[in-house]
Amino acid sequence: MVAVDVKDIVTAFGSHVVHDGVSFQINQGEIFGILGGSGSGKTVLMREMLMLNTPKEGQIHVLDYPVHKLDDKSKQDLRMCWGVLFQFGALFSSLNVLENVMLPLLEYTNLPKPFIADIARMKLRMVGLEESVVFKAPSELSGGMKKRVGLARALALDPKILFLDEPTSGLDPASSRAFDSLIVSLRDLLGITVVMVTHDKDTIANVLDRFVIIGNKRVKACGDYATLMQEEPDLMQKFMES
Amino acid sequence: MVSLFILEPTPDALHVKCHGKWEHDTVSSTLNHNFKTPLKNIVFDLTSIDTIDTAGAMALLHVKNLLESQGKVFEFQGASKSTQGLLDLCIEHSSTHSKPHKEPKRFSDGLVNIGKMVEEYWLTFMAFISFVGGAVSALGRSAVNPKSIRFRATLYHMEHNGMYALPIIGITTLLVGVVIAYQGAVQLEKFGANIFIVEMVGIAATRELAPLIVAIVIAGRSASAFTAQIGVMKITEEVDAMRTMGFGSWEFLVLPRMLALIVSMPLLVLFGDGVAVLGGMIVAQAELGVSMSEFLARFQETVALKHTLIGLIKAPFFGAIIALIGCYRGFQINSSTESVGHYTTISVVNAIFWVIAFNALFSVLLTELGW
């Protein structure tokens, strides 16, 4: 089953062309990576899946929703199916940690508030945060903690698909590995499809089921680590070194 | 000027014995030195150099290139391993680039720049009109579906932009009331027309001055605040996060601010009216001997309600303008810190200008209509 289908995407900002015919598919339940050198347009690609940017040409289907031609109601329906973790957490600065995680539940469900608080606390514990951070303001958190709160918030509505933008960037090696295992266990437990933009060599080698390498405005390679190491050793060597 | 070398001309070559510290804080004297010599061969002896950094190495290479271009034969001698390594590094990464050909400046360049500026202003203006359209359409949707209005956010902004502005509004309108009354008093006294101070202050303050001053103060306060708030939210990707969670920017960011100002401005203007007239009353008593009760009695008789009403009608429009400009400029902010300062400033300047422009428009319009 295909979770995300990217077809013939052309992206341009004015005369600057970022993608010129990018196509790949993401299967349900896999942890998929979008890789590429700096400036290759990986984040832009993910933003196009999230309807934050519009490609010039091409189609993207997320969970069978044709992202390029949805009406407002369908857009909202789709947004309820995913969770997004931005690179620096993007927590709402006017709310504390617990309120940040509770917000999607408060807005979109009729559950009673104390129950929602329980769910939020549970998600925060799930991502490895302790009770002591629960009432802190986002400005009082370290980078790693912000990312974890962001992840808890992304998981608030039990999404079918999780989008992560450079989840381990800025984290020390131990925290990065801990974050990786958290993602894997979430996928194993909840069957979420995970799409991440990442540079992290350990993540690429150990966590991703498959990935796509974007370069020169196109897809340079797509597949799993073992196969690509065999079939495209030059590209992989160049890429993993860089 | 520290001398870093000793010149020793020998029959076959000019030996330049380099010594001391060849680093960025000492090497400028070398660059300025003119190595003129009739000899064809030049040898730079580097054995006595104590320390050398990139600037020193580049200085050596600079001199080398300069002398070789004059047809001399150049040689380095006695470079230590680390010095040679540094020289090699600089050679490896040096680039020969030609000086960019500078176009002579022409008169038409100035005209081209003016043209580009005008075009940019026009495009920004059109984008703003589009933004206003979006806001009005969002307002319409909210009117049809009142549940979608973010009530708490709107109240929050009313508190911060309305209530917390009362002190500054009070002070500024008081002072403005005092000043116009004072200047008016001086002139009226000449004609013994003291009592007309009431009409002067009453009409000027309630119809024109209080609304304008309140709008300008709120423009300075709230336009910049809105721009900065929304701009920083854009930079930290909070706006994107909200969009991916289905929290539309119109309903969650723009409308609460716009509604907050539309509701608060008339209240602030009413307050400003009162304080400005109070300022006028104080001056009238102190300078013209018009007592407060005399003032108020005449005020009731001569200052028609329509003036106050006109001031109050202008207020929500000012509020909408300030909020829309503040929010629009906020969304224009991109990820550089410079753009935050830039757009916050522009936002206030725009807001003040358009408030004054609309005030002039209202003035002319309403007076022509006979109100």
Side-chain angles (χ1 to χ4, degrees), chain B residues 26-324:
Chain B
T26 51
V27 112
S28 47
S29 55
T30 315
L31 289 168
N32 292 331
H33 189 268
N34 196 345
F35 287 90
K36 254 214 159 98
T37 171
L39 296 162
K40 188 157 187 265
N41 297 317
I42 303 185
V43 175
F44 265 57
D45 186 336
L46 306 178
T47 20
S48 308
I49 288 184
D50 291 329
T51 52
I52 180 167
D53 70 358
T54 320
M58 302 260 319
L60 287 171
L61 291 172
H62 175 86
V63 172
K64 171 172 186 278
N65 291 332
L66 188 64
L67 292 171
E68 282 180 345
S69 70
Q70 289 172 3
K72 310 283 184 198
V73 174
F74 194 96
E75 201 192 316
F76 282 127
Q77 235 182 38
S80 71
K81 199 155 162 231
S82 56
T83 307
Q84 189 58 50
L86 196 56
L87 284 168
D88 290 338
L89 183 73
C90 291
I91 294 172
E92 186 190 336
H93 293 286
S94 67
S95 58
T96 45
H97 58 271
S98 51
K99 268 210 162 94
H101 174 55
K102 255 188 157 177
E103 288 276 353
K105 285 203 171 120
R106 306 203 302 219
F107 178 71
S108 60
D109 287 343
L111 294 176
V112 167
N113 287 341
I114 293 178
K116 282 187 184 165
M117 251 172 52
V118 171
E119 190 184 27
E120 246 186 77
Y121 279 148
W122 177 250
L123 290 172
T124 310
F125 185 66
M126 284 292 110
F128 178 66
I129 299 288
S130 166
F131 186 84
V132 173
V136 169
S137 135
L139 199 58
R141 286 198 299 272
S142 292
V144 169
N145 184 11
K147 270 197 170 176
S148 68
I149 297 180
R150 310 299 306 178
F151 197 57
R152 278 187 71 193
T154 310
L155 279 181
Y156 173 89
H157 288 296
M158 279 174 67
E159 187 186 351
H160 282 258
N161 293 292
M163 213 177 86
Y164 292 179
L166 283 172
I168 186 80
I169 296 286
I171 296 175
T172 45
T173 46
L174 181 72
L175 292 174
V176 167
V178 161
V179 162
I180 53 159
Y182 198 68
Q183 293 303 320
V186 168
Q187 302 307 318
L188 289 172
E189 248 187 326
K190 293 182 191 166
F191 303 95
N194 297 16
I195 197 63
F196 289 102
I197 192 75
V198 178
E199 283 96 315
M200 208 199 86
V201 169
I203 297 176
T206 57
R207 189 182 170 118
E208 292 294 333
L209 286 173
L212 192 60
I213 293 294
V214 168
I216 290 177
V217 169
I218 297 297
R221 228 176 151 276
S222 299
S224 56
F226 293 169
T227 305
Q229 285 159 9
I230 292 181
V232 172
M233 286 175 81
K234 263 200 86 182
I235 292 176
T236 57
E237 295 186 301
E238 266 183 71
V239 177
D240 284 338
M242 287 171 68
R243 284 169 69 190
T244 57
M245 290 164 74
F247 301 143
S249 302
W250 289 118
E251 288 79 14
F252 278 75
L253 294 175
V254 179
L255 246 37
R257 289 171 169 83
M258 200 170 113
L259 289 171
L261 281 194
I262 289 178
V263 170
S264 306
M265 280 294 289
L267 301 171
L268 289 170
V269 166
L270 194 59
F271 175 70
D273 284 343
V275 175
V277 168
L278 178 68
M281 280 207 298
I282 294 173
V283 168
Q285 173 147 66
E287 292 296 311
L288 298 172
V290 175
S291 74
M292 297 235 182
S293 45
E294 262 186 275
F295 193 108
L296 285 171
R298 191 178 172 86
F299 192 96
Q300 264 190 309
E301 283 171 33
T302 57
V303 178
L305 188 61
K306 71 172 184 185
H307 300 296
T308 311
L309 283 178
I310 287 175
L312 290 176
I313 287 173
K314 289 197 273 195
F317 288 94
F318 291 161
I321 292 169
I322 294 168
L324 285 170

Side-chain angles (χ1 to χ4, degrees), chain A:
Chain A
M1 279 237 46
V2 171
V4 179
D5 185 16
V6 176
K7 210 152 48 169
D8 304 324
I9 292 294
V10 172
T11 313
F13 296 110
S15 53
H16 173 54
V17 177
V18 179
H19 306 128
D20 191 11
V22 167
S23 302
F24 57 89
Q25 285 188 336
I26 304 177
N27 300 318
Q28 232 171 50
E30 67 179 1
I31 301 182
F32 190 88
I34 302 179
L35 278 43
S38 306
S40 54
K42 339 179 260 301
T43 306
V44 174
L45 202 50
M46 198 165 88
R47 288 173 66 94
E48 286 170 346
M49 293 177 200
L50 293 169
M51 302 189 288
L52 291 172
N53 281 65
T54 325
K56 197 160 162 218
E57 283 170 38
Q59 297 115 25
I60 298 182
H61 286 77
V62 176
L63 299 173
D64 290 330
Y65 285 86
V67 143
H68 47 288
K69 49 178 195 217
L70 287 176
D71 59 68
D72 283 342
K73 171 144 195 323
S74 308
K75 281 187 184 171
Q76 286 294 91
D77 291 339
L78 175 55
R79 289 182 181 125
M80 294 303 104
C81 298
W82 68 36
V84 186
L85 172 59
F86 288 87
Q87 192 170 354
F88 302 106
L91 301 180
F92 301 135
S93 38
S94 54
L95 305 174
N96 67 27
V97 164
L98 190 66
E99 287 166 343
N100 259 280
V101 181
M102 285 170 67
L103 189 62
L105 290 158
L106 284 171
E107 287 297 317
Y108 296 121
T109 69
N110 288 323
L111 300 164
K113 203 160 168 196
F115 187 68
I116 290 179
D118 285 340
I119 297 182
R121 282 192 153 90
M122 177 247 151
K123 304 273 165 162
L124 285 165
R125 275 198 297 276
M126 211 162 84
V127 300
L129 288 169
E130 291 172 3
E131 183 67 23
S132 54
V133 309
V134 145
F135 294 118
K136 284 197 197 273
S139 52
E140 297 171 331
L141 304 173
S142 74
M145 287 159 83
K146 279 190 199 158
K147 282 186 195 260
R148 284 172 185 267
V149 177
L151 183 60
R153 185 180 67 184
L155 294 169
L157 292 174
D158 283 321
K160 301 193 183 71
I161 180 166
L162 199 59
F163 290 92
L164 310 172
D165 189 4
E166 306 221 25
T168 54
S169 82
L171 294 181
D172 63 271
S175 305
S176 302
R177 303 292 66 82
F179 201 91
D180 277 344
S181 28
L182 177 58
I183 296 294
V184 174
S185 55
L186 284 173
R187 189 274 307 268
D188 294 339
L189 268 174
L190 304 169
I192 311 178
T193 310
V194 179
V195 181
M196 67 164 96
V197 170
T198 183
H199 285 300
D200 192 320
K201 287 206 287 200
D202 287 302
T203 311
I204 297 171
N206 301 322
V207 173
L208 300 179
D209 292 325
R210 283 168 63 236
F211 52 84
V212 64
I213 301 181
I214 311 282
N216 251 342
K217 313 186 205 289
R218 293 172 167 267
V219 169
K220 280 194 140 170
C222 183
D224 63 278
Y225 185 71
T227 317
L228 283 181
M229 280 303 262
Q230 269 198 326
E231 291 180 3
E232 304 258 8
D234 301 325
L235 175 65
M236 287 301 285
Q237 214 217 13
K238 184 166 169 234
F239 191 74
M240 295 294 268
E241 301 286 89
S242 58

